[in-house]
Amino acid sequence: MTSERPGTDPGLPGADPERPRPAPERPDADPGHPGAGPARPLPPERGAPVGRRVLLGTLGLGALGVLAAPTLQRGLESFLAGAADKDPTGLTGLLPNGGGFRYYSVAASVPREDARAYRLRVTGLVDRPATYTLADLRALPQTRLVRDVQCVTGWRVPGTPFEGVRLSRLLDAAGVRATAGAVRFTCFDGTYTESLTLDQARRPDVLVALRMRDADLSHAHGGPARLYVAPMYFYKSAKWLSGITVTEDVRPGYWERRGYDTDAWVGRSNGRDDAPTS
Protein backbone atom coordinates (compact mmCIF):
# COMPACT_ATOMS: atom_id res chain seq x y z
CA MET A 1 0.00 0.00 0.00
CA THR A 2 4.31 5.65 0.91
CA SER A 3 9.00 10.32 4.11
CA GLU A 4 12.02 11.93 3.21
CA ARG A 5 13.28 15.05 4.79
CA PRO A 6 15.72 17.25 2.96
CA GLY A 7 19.04 17.62 4.70
CA THR A 8 20.59 20.91 5.68
CA ASP A 9 24.00 22.32 4.87
CA PRO A 10 25.87 22.96 8.12
CA GLY A 11 28.38 25.21 6.35
CA LEU A 12 32.12 25.02 6.67
CA PRO A 13 33.32 23.59 9.99
CA GLY A 14 34.88 26.22 12.21
CA ALA A 15 34.00 29.10 9.91
CA ASP A 16 33.41 32.42 11.68
CA PRO A 17 31.72 34.97 9.40
CA GLU A 18 32.46 37.81 11.83
CA ARG A 19 36.25 37.34 11.87
CA PRO A 20 38.24 38.76 8.90
CA ARG A 21 40.44 36.20 7.23
CA PRO A 22 44.19 36.92 7.12
CA ALA A 23 45.68 37.69 3.72
CA PRO A 24 47.56 34.75 2.18
CA GLU A 25 51.34 34.79 2.45
CA ARG A 26 53.18 36.19 -0.57
CA PRO A 27 56.96 36.38 -1.04
CA ASP A 28 56.87 39.91 -2.46
CA ALA A 29 54.93 41.17 0.52
CA ASP A 30 57.62 40.06 2.99
CA PRO A 31 60.41 42.72 3.36
CA GLY A 32 62.79 40.04 4.63
CA HIS A 33 62.36 37.81 1.59
CA PRO A 34 65.31 37.91 -0.84
CA GLY A 35 64.45 39.96 -3.90
CA ALA A 36 61.24 41.19 -2.40
CA GLY A 37 60.02 44.54 -3.58
CA PRO A 38 57.93 46.93 -1.58
CA ALA A 39 54.81 45.45 -0.11
CA ARG A 40 51.78 45.85 -2.35
CA PRO A 41 48.22 45.69 -1.00
CA LEU A 42 46.26 42.64 -2.06
CA PRO A 43 43.19 43.26 -4.16
CA PRO A 44 39.91 42.60 -2.35
CA GLU A 45 38.73 39.01 -2.68
CA ARG A 46 35.97 38.46 -5.20
CA GLY A 47 34.04 35.45 -6.38
CA ALA A 48 34.37 34.45 -9.98
CA PRO A 49 31.97 36.57 -12.04
CA VAL A 50 28.86 34.76 -13.30
CA GLY A 51 28.01 35.56 -16.87
CA ARG A 52 24.49 36.40 -17.97
CA ARG A 53 24.24 33.24 -20.04
CA VAL A 54 25.33 31.06 -17.10
CA LEU A 55 22.81 32.73 -14.81
CA LEU A 56 19.95 32.37 -17.30
CA GLY A 57 20.94 28.78 -17.98
CA THR A 58 20.91 27.95 -14.27
CA LEU A 59 17.50 29.53 -13.82
CA GLY A 60 16.23 27.64 -16.86
CA LEU A 61 17.43 24.30 -15.48
CA GLY A 62 15.76 25.07 -12.17
CA ALA A 63 12.47 25.83 -13.88
CA LEU A 64 12.77 22.66 -15.96
CA GLY A 65 13.32 20.66 -12.79
CA VAL A 66 10.17 22.08 -11.23
CA LEU A 67 8.13 21.27 -14.35
CA ALA A 68 9.59 17.80 -14.72
CA ALA A 69 9.32 16.78 -11.06
CA PRO A 70 5.73 15.43 -11.22
CA THR A 71 6.52 13.40 -14.33
CA LEU A 72 9.70 12.01 -12.83
CA GLN A 73 7.88 11.14 -9.63
CA ARG A 74 5.13 9.32 -11.51
CA GLY A 75 7.77 7.43 -13.46
CA LEU A 76 9.54 6.41 -10.26
CA GLU A 77 6.27 5.32 -8.68
CA SER A 78 5.39 3.26 -11.75
CA PHE A 79 8.80 1.61 -11.77
CA LEU A 80 8.75 0.73 -8.06
CA ALA A 81 5.17 -0.49 -8.23
CA GLY A 82 5.98 -2.73 -11.18
CA ALA A 83 9.04 -4.08 -9.41
CA ALA A 84 7.09 -4.71 -6.21
CA ASP A 85 4.44 -6.55 -8.23
CA LYS A 86 7.05 -9.06 -9.38
CA ASP A 87 9.14 -9.25 -6.19
CA PRO A 88 8.34 -12.38 -4.13
CA THR A 89 10.64 -11.21 -1.31
CA GLY A 90 8.71 -8.01 -0.59
CA LEU A 91 11.99 -6.07 -0.30
CA THR A 92 10.98 -3.49 -2.89
CA GLY A 93 8.14 -2.52 -0.57
CA LEU A 94 10.73 -1.06 1.77
CA LEU A 95 11.81 1.55 -0.80
CA PRO A 96 10.06 4.93 -0.56
CA ASN A 97 9.25 6.69 -3.81
CA GLY A 98 9.37 10.42 -4.46
CA GLY A 99 5.97 10.91 -2.81
CA GLY A 100 6.96 9.22 0.43
CA PHE A 101 4.76 6.12 -0.01
CA ARG A 102 5.86 2.50 0.16
CA TYR A 103 4.18 -0.25 -1.84
CA TYR A 104 2.79 -3.35 -0.23
CA SER A 105 0.94 -6.27 -1.77
CA VAL A 106 0.07 -9.51 -0.06
CA ALA A 107 -0.58 -11.27 -3.37
CA ALA A 108 2.08 -12.68 -5.67
CA SER A 109 0.73 -10.40 -8.41
CA VAL A 110 -2.27 -8.12 -8.87
CA PRO A 111 -4.26 -8.10 -12.11
CA ARG A 112 -4.90 -4.73 -13.69
CA GLU A 113 -8.54 -3.75 -13.98
CA ASP A 114 -9.42 -1.83 -17.12
CA ALA A 115 -11.37 1.30 -16.21
CA ARG A 116 -14.13 0.35 -18.67
CA ALA A 117 -14.45 -3.18 -17.28
CA TYR A 118 -14.23 -2.26 -13.58
CA ARG A 119 -17.19 -3.19 -11.37
CA LEU A 120 -17.86 -2.57 -7.67
CA ARG A 121 -20.57 -4.73 -6.13
CA VAL A 122 -22.59 -3.88 -3.01
CA THR A 123 -24.22 -7.01 -1.56
CA GLY A 124 -25.06 -8.78 1.70
CA LEU A 125 -27.68 -7.59 4.17
CA VAL A 126 -29.16 -4.97 1.86
CA ASP A 127 -32.55 -4.57 0.18
CA ARG A 128 -31.15 -3.27 -3.10
CA PRO A 129 -27.88 -4.93 -4.17
CA ALA A 130 -26.05 -2.83 -6.72
CA THR A 131 -23.19 -2.97 -9.19
CA TYR A 132 -21.33 0.25 -10.05
CA THR A 133 -19.13 0.96 -13.03
CA LEU A 134 -16.35 3.50 -12.67
CA ALA A 135 -18.48 5.95 -14.66
CA ASP A 136 -21.36 5.39 -12.21
CA LEU A 137 -19.11 6.18 -9.25
CA ARG A 138 -17.69 9.30 -10.92
CA ALA A 139 -21.21 10.56 -11.61
CA LEU A 140 -22.07 10.59 -7.89
CA PRO A 141 -21.29 13.59 -5.65
CA GLN A 142 -17.58 13.62 -4.81
CA THR A 143 -15.96 14.46 -1.47
CA ARG A 144 -12.37 15.71 -1.18
CA LEU A 145 -10.36 15.11 1.99
CA VAL A 146 -6.80 16.27 2.71
CA ARG A 147 -5.26 14.35 5.61
CA ASP A 148 -1.97 12.85 6.65
CA VAL A 149 -1.51 9.19 5.76
CA GLN A 150 -0.05 7.13 8.62
CA CYS A 151 1.22 3.58 8.20
CA VAL A 152 1.31 1.29 11.20
CA THR A 153 4.96 0.54 10.35
CA GLY A 154 5.85 4.16 11.11
CA TRP A 155 6.07 6.21 7.91
CA ARG A 156 3.78 9.16 7.37
CA VAL A 157 2.89 11.26 4.31
CA PRO A 158 1.44 14.65 5.26
CA GLY A 159 -1.39 16.47 3.53
CA THR A 160 -2.46 13.84 1.00
CA PRO A 161 -5.64 14.66 -0.98
CA PHE A 162 -8.16 11.89 -1.67
CA GLU A 163 -11.42 12.28 -3.60
CA GLY A 164 -14.32 9.92 -3.99
CA VAL A 165 -17.81 8.86 -2.96
CA ARG A 166 -18.71 8.66 0.69
CA LEU A 167 -19.22 5.02 1.62
CA SER A 168 -22.35 6.01 3.56
CA ARG A 169 -23.97 7.16 0.29
CA LEU A 170 -23.54 3.69 -1.27
CA LEU A 171 -24.84 2.01 1.88
CA ASP A 172 -27.91 4.27 2.00
CA ALA A 173 -28.62 3.61 -1.67
CA ALA A 174 -28.47 -0.15 -1.02
CA GLY A 175 -30.87 -0.05 1.93
CA VAL A 176 -29.00 -1.62 4.85
CA ARG A 177 -31.15 -4.03 6.85
CA ALA A 178 -31.78 -3.70 10.58
CA THR A 179 -29.82 -6.87 11.38
CA ALA A 180 -26.62 -5.46 9.88
CA GLY A 181 -23.72 -4.40 12.08
CA ALA A 182 -20.60 -4.34 9.89
CA VAL A 183 -19.20 -4.02 6.38
CA ARG A 184 -16.65 -6.32 4.75
CA PHE A 185 -14.43 -5.28 1.84
CA THR A 186 -12.88 -7.58 -0.76
CA CYS A 187 -10.28 -6.76 -3.38
CA PHE A 188 -9.56 -7.96 -6.91
CA ASP A 189 -6.07 -9.10 -5.92
CA GLY A 190 -7.99 -12.15 -4.66
CA THR A 191 -6.38 -12.06 -1.22
CA TYR A 192 -6.83 -8.85 0.76
CA THR A 193 -9.89 -8.18 2.92
CA GLU A 194 -10.91 -5.57 5.49
CA SER A 195 -13.86 -4.77 7.75
CA LEU A 196 -15.43 -1.85 9.57
CA THR A 197 -18.33 -1.62 11.96
CA LEU A 198 -21.41 -0.07 10.39
CA ASP A 199 -20.97 3.08 12.50
CA GLN A 200 -17.36 3.41 11.34
CA ALA A 201 -18.34 2.84 7.72
CA ARG A 202 -20.91 5.64 7.91
CA ARG A 203 -18.37 8.26 9.02
CA PRO A 204 -18.09 11.26 6.63
CA ASP A 205 -14.31 10.72 6.34
CA VAL A 206 -14.59 7.20 4.89
CA LEU A 207 -14.59 7.13 1.08
CA VAL A 208 -14.59 4.87 -1.89
CA ALA A 209 -11.71 6.86 -3.34
CA LEU A 210 -11.27 7.39 -7.09
CA ARG A 211 -8.55 10.05 -7.03
CA MET A 212 -5.43 10.69 -4.99
CA ARG A 213 -3.12 13.72 -5.06
CA ASP A 214 -5.37 15.33 -7.68
CA ALA A 215 -5.04 12.51 -10.21
CA ASP A 216 -7.00 9.37 -10.97
CA LEU A 217 -5.89 6.48 -8.79
CA SER A 218 -3.08 4.55 -10.42
CA HIS A 219 -2.88 0.79 -10.26
CA ALA A 220 0.02 1.11 -7.81
CA HIS A 221 -2.14 3.14 -5.43
CA GLY A 222 -5.06 0.72 -5.60
CA GLY A 223 -6.96 1.97 -8.65
CA PRO A 224 -9.37 2.23 -10.23
CA ALA A 225 -11.04 2.47 -6.77
CA ARG A 226 -9.94 1.86 -3.21
CA LEU A 227 -11.24 2.29 0.30
CA TYR A 228 -9.95 5.33 2.21
CA VAL A 229 -10.48 5.40 5.99
CA ALA A 230 -8.95 8.74 6.96
CA PRO A 231 -8.75 8.37 10.77
CA MET A 232 -7.29 4.84 10.79
CA TYR A 233 -3.93 3.32 9.98
CA PHE A 234 -3.48 2.86 6.25
CA TYR A 235 -3.88 -0.93 6.24
CA LYS A 236 -7.62 -0.30 6.70
CA SER A 237 -7.72 1.58 3.37
CA ALA A 238 -7.94 -1.51 1.18
CA LYS A 239 -6.57 -1.16 -2.35
CA TRP A 240 -8.11 -2.59 -5.55
CA LEU A 241 -11.63 -2.58 -4.10
CA SER A 242 -14.07 -4.92 -5.78
CA GLY A 243 -16.74 -5.81 -3.21
CA ILE A 244 -18.66 -4.22 -0.33
CA THR A 245 -20.62 -6.79 1.68
CA VAL A 246 -22.88 -5.80 4.56
CA THR A 247 -22.69 -8.39 7.37
CA GLU A 248 -24.00 -8.92 10.88
CA ASP A 249 -20.61 -8.80 12.61
CA VAL A 250 -17.10 -7.59 11.92
CA ARG A 251 -14.95 -10.18 10.20
CA PRO A 252 -11.25 -9.55 10.88
CA GLY A 253 -9.35 -8.60 7.75
CA TYR A 254 -6.08 -9.89 6.34
CA TRP A 255 -3.79 -8.10 8.79
CA GLU A 256 -6.11 -8.42 11.79
CA ARG A 257 -5.87 -12.18 11.45
CA ARG A 258 -2.11 -11.70 11.74
CA GLY A 259 -2.18 -9.63 14.92
CA TYR A 260 -3.06 -6.04 13.94
CA ASP A 261 -5.89 -4.27 15.78
CA THR A 262 -9.35 -4.42 14.23
CA ASP A 263 -10.15 -0.91 15.46
CA ALA A 264 -7.14 0.84 13.94
CA TRP A 265 -7.50 4.46 15.09
CA VAL A 266 -4.27 6.35 14.46
CA GLY A 267 -2.50 6.99 17.77
CA ARG A 268 -4.94 4.86 19.78
CA SER A 269 -4.24 1.32 18.59
CA ASN A 270 -1.50 -1.16 17.72
CA GLY A 271 0.59 0.11 20.64
CA ARG A 272 1.44 3.36 18.81
CA ASP A 273 1.06 7.00 19.85
CA ASP A 274 1.15 8.76 16.45
CA ALA A 275 -0.60 12.09 16.07
CA PRO A 276 -4.15 11.66 14.73
CA THR A 277 -4.68 12.06 11.00
CA SER A 278 -8.26 13.28 11.16
Side-chain angles (χ1 to χ4, degrees), residues 121-130 174-177 179-180 182 244-248 251:
R121 292 173 176 80
V122 182
T123 60
L125 299 176
V126 296
D127 294 328
R128 297 177 293 278
V176 175
R177 295 176 184 169
T179 55
I244 298 171
T245 306
V246 179
T247 60
E248 286 189 17
R251 301 179 187 178

Side-chain angles (χ1 to χ4, degrees), residues 71-148:
T71 301
L72 292 174
Q73 179 171 312
R74 286 193 294 270
L76 178 59
E77 290 178 359
S78 178
F79 169 76
L80 287 176
D85 233 12
K86 300 174 177 62
D87 176 17
T89 69
L91 293 176
T92 48
L94 302 177
L95 299 174
N97 68 39
F101 283 83
R102 290 175 172 83
Y103 296 103
Y104 302 102
S105 172
V106 299
S109 64
V110 181
R112 292 178 179 267
E113 281 280 341
D114 183 89
R116 292 169 296 181
Y118 176 77
R119 297 293 184 271
L120 175 63
R121 292 173 176 80
V122 182
T123 60
L125 299 176
V126 296
D127 294 328
R128 297 177 293 278
T131 299
Y132 293 89
T133 66
L134 193 58
D136 293 335
L137 293 171
R138 286 173 174 166
L140 295 172
Q142 304 290 299
T143 296
R144 188 174 192 267
L145 301 174
V146 182
R147 303 284 191 273
D148 291 359

Side-chain angles (χ1 to χ4, degrees), residues 7-227:
T8 56
D9 180 4
L12 297 174
D16 184 353
E18 301 299 325
R19 181 179 301 170
R21 287 174 288 181
E25 294 185 12
R26 284 176 40 168
D28 62 355
D30 181 1
H33 190 278
R40 295 193 299 272
L42 292 171
E45 293 189 22
R46 299 177 183 272
V50 177
R52 182 171 179 271
R53 290 182 180 179
V54 175
L55 176 60
L56 292 177
T58 302
L59 293 175
L61 287 174
L64 180 62
V66 170
L67 292 173
T71 301
L72 292 174
Q73 179 171 312
R74 286 193 294 270
L76 178 59
E77 290 178 359
S78 178
F79 169 76
L80 287 176
D85 233 12
K86 300 174 177 62
D87 176 17
T89 69
L91 293 176
T92 48
L94 302 177
L95 299 174
N97 68 39
F101 283 83
R102 290 175 172 83
Y103 296 103
Y104 302 102
S105 172
V106 299
S109 64
V110 181
R112 292 178 179 267
E113 281 280 341
D114 183 89
R116 292 169 296 181
Y118 176 77
R119 297 293 184 271
L120 175 63
R121 292 173 176 80
V122 182
T123 60
L125 299 176
V126 296
D127 294 328
R128 297 177 293 278
T131 299
Y132 293 89
T133 66
L134 193 58
D136 293 335
L137 293 171
R138 286 173 174 166
L140 295 172
Q142 304 290 299
T143 296
R144 188 174 192 267
L145 301 174
V146 182
R147 303 284 191 273
D148 291 359
V149 169
Q150 178 69 54
C151 181
V152 74
T153 60
W155 55 264
R156 189 180 187 106
V157 182
T160 304
F162 282 87
E163 295 174 64
V165 181
R166 282 182 173 153
L167 178 59
S168 60
R169 179 177 294 275
L170 300 183
L171 295 175
D172 290 345
V176 175
R177 295 176 184 169
T179 55
V183 184
R184 183 173 183 261
F185 307 94
T186 51
C187 308
F188 62 76
D189 68 348
T191 303
Y192 203 81
T193 61
E194 257 307 338
S195 286
L196 296 170
T197 68
L198 193 56
D199 286 343
Q200 291 168 354
R202 289 191 179 281
R203 287 178 58 103
D205 52 4
V206 176
L207 306 179
V208 172
L210 309 177
R211 291 172 60 81
M212 174 182 164
R213 296 188 295 184
D214 301 315
D216 291 344
L217 271 173
S218 67
H219 174 77
H221 284 300
R226 71 177 296 162
L227 186 65

